[in-house]
Amino acid sequence: MVKIQKFPQGARVRVKRGDFPLDPAFEGLEGIVVVLHRKQGRRYWVQIDGREGLDAFDESELTPIWSPASIREAGAHQGGSGSDAAS
């Protein structure tokens, strides 16, 4: 079976309570996904804003951070305007 990475490298994420015990100090912190640890399946290494080093989190402990700017940028990569429709 092929594992699809839920959070791609460079994705902005927020730490939340998940399937495993989590240090409460991490809840609500934000950071950037650096890499998926493929041998452990659902483990991601995240660079938390303002902290040195990387922290490992389970996929269930991360939620994507969406902003209006990131949604506009995603649309720009897909052609983005209604004028692209065939006439």
Side-chain angles (χ1 to χ4, degrees):
M1 174 171 36
V2 175
K3 167 69 177 153
I4 306 280
Q5 188 172 356
K6 185 174 181 180
F7 303 104
Q9 184 175 359
R12 295 275 312 156
V13 293
R14 181 174 295 121
V15 180
K16 65 180 179 114
R17 187 174 304 230
D19 295 340
F20 300 99
L22 176 69
D23 181 343
F26 281 105
E27 271 188 78
L29 295 180
E30 297 179 359
I32 297 175
V33 171
V34 176
V35 70
L36 167 67
H37 194 282
R38 297 191 188 284
K39 291 184 180 180
Q40 294 181 349
R42 297 170 19 137
R43 301 294 286 177
Y44 291 81
W45 290 98
V46 177
Q47 173 68 57
I48 298 293
D49 296 344
R51 290 178 50 105
E52 289 188 30
L54 302 175
D55 294 289
F57 295 97
D58 181 72
E59 189 171 85
S60 68
E61 297 170 330
L62 301 173
T63 186
I65 298 174
W66 300 104
S67 68
S70 64
I71 293 171
R72 279 194 305 274
E73 290 168 7
H77 295 293
Q78 297 174 0
S81 73
S83 64
D84 292 341
S87 42

